[in-house]
Amino acid sequence: MAIVCKSAAEIEKMRRSGRIVREVLDHVRSLVAAGATTMDLERAAEKRIKDLDAKPAFKGYYDYPCVLCTSINEEIVHGIPSDSRVLKPGDIVSIDCGVVLDGYYGDAAITVPVGDAVKQEVRKLLEVTEASLYRGIEQVWVGNAVGDVGAAVQEFVEANGFSVVREFVGHGIGTKLHEEPQVPNFGARGHGPRLREGMVLAIEPMVNFGRPGARVLEDKWTAVTTDGSYSAHFEHCVAVTKNGPMILTN
Ligand code: MF3
Ligand code: CO
């Protein structure tokens, strides 16, 4: 399958999906507090998605059981919401949400500190991860390469002493949640497919405090750092336009 370019009308539809994802994430963020469970967040998200007349993108994708991924501390991505996971002061929780509206997908993620007890060095991990996403987004110009995105993310993360995850990557998105191309958070400038007008990329740096390695737990979903260090994740969907990057998930 080749990389699918979207028309202006299709990108407008994706902007609507993206706005819904953002609205859900903003709502869920407001519920993050010590004592809340990740299933509390899941239920709130499911209701919001329904109220906004969209459908969840993750639930039933392969056999994923929920509308959110909620990944705490050393969990990198794909943590499954649960009644038994209670947020504690000092935790960080990554919240990833996807929806489909009128056939077009939106996908975004944030990482949120739980309370004021999060260590300064961990707050810096969140700041650097979010800033690295914008470093990647700045590379989204017609004629640049996918490798320019990954290189910009990786250089910024490593200059700040953290490491990028290699086992999971960003992706094209449109009428499917995952389309070509893969969008790694590492790479070499000038390498990989060239960006063309109408491509839409989900750029999603996953950044570990310590070593870069990841492994998947026995639940077959939850990815954790191999060294047990904390990990952060931020994601936006970004369209390639002749005027540069257009963020669809804000
Ligand atoms: N944002 C993630 C991704 O795009 C979430 C996928 S979770 C799944 O890969 F359950 F849908 F697989
Ligand atoms: Co994604």
Side-chain angles (χ1 to χ4, degrees):
M1 270 296 285
I3 300 172
V4 181
C5 292
K6 284 81 181 172
S7 69
E10 291 180 294
I11 287 173
E12 187 50 38
K13 289 187 180 190
M14 295 190 71
R15 191 192 254 301
R16 285 201 274 273
S17 308
R19 287 217 181 97
I20 289 174
V21 171
R22 179 58 45 197
E23 175 145 359
V24 173
L25 287 176
D26 284 347
H27 178 55
V28 171
R29 180 208 302 270
S30 76
L31 303 174
V32 168
T37 70
T38 52
M39 189 55 80
D40 293 334
L41 307 182
E42 164 74 12
R43 276 193 280 264
E46 188 159 33
K47 177 163 193 312
R48 254 307 146 100
I49 292 168
K50 201 170 180 210
D51 289 347
L52 293 165
D53 296 319
K55 293 266 182 297
F58 300 168
K59 196 171 184 167
Y61 187 81
Y62 294 94
D63 55 354
Y64 190 75
C66 290
V67 310
L68 295 181
C69 299
T70 51
S71 309
I72 301 172
N73 298 343
E74 78 287 356
E75 296 172 352
I76 301 169
V77 287
H78 303 166
I80 303 173
S82 161
D83 282 315
S84 62
R85 292 306 299 277
V86 182
L87 298 175
K88 303 186 309 299
D91 285 347
I92 56 172
V93 58
S94 301
I95 303 161
D96 192 345
C97 182
V99 306
V100 56
L101 180 78
D102 199 11
Y104 288 83
Y105 283 79
D107 182 11
I110 55 176
T111 304
V112 184
V114 181
D116 297 328
V118 175
K119 287 194 202 120
Q120 191 48 46
E121 60 191 30
V122 175
R123 289 185 185 276
K124 187 178 171 206
L125 173 69
L126 306 195
E127 283 163 18
V128 166
T129 305
E130 185 167 23
S132 77
L133 169 58
Y134 287 94
R135 293 299 180 109
I137 290 171
E138 280 171 14
Q139 295 299 315
V140 177
W141 286 84
V142 172
N144 274 4
V146 169
D148 294 330
V149 175
V153 171
Q154 179 177 20
E155 283 165 18
F156 184 76
V157 166
E158 292 178 353
N160 281 281
F162 301 127
S163 46
V164 293
V165 171
R166 273 74 164 171
E167 287 84 348
F168 301 92
V169 297
H171 49 94
I173 181 167
T175 57
K176 292 184 288 179
L177 176 61
H178 293 148
E179 296 185 357
E180 286 188 50
Q182 294 198 351
V183 184
N185 298 297
F186 56 93
R189 292 189 188 268
H191 285 243
R194 293 275 151 192
L195 302 183
R196 284 176 285 124
E197 192 180 348
M199 289 183 184
V200 181
L201 305 179
I203 304 174
E204 48 179 319
M206 290 147 267
V207 176
N208 294 355
F209 191 90
R211 302 288 308 156
R215 69 186 172 87
V216 175
L217 298 182
E218 301 69 46
D219 66 12
K220 303 268 180 51
W221 282 105
T222 312
V224 299
T225 60
T226 48
D227 67 358
S229 69
Y230 282 17
S231 188
H233 180 211
F234 285 83
E235 176 177 21
H236 269 309
C237 294
V238 184
V240 183
T241 81
K242 19 181 199 311
N243 303 316
M246 178 194 275
I247 298 175
L248 303 177
T249 40
N250 60 11

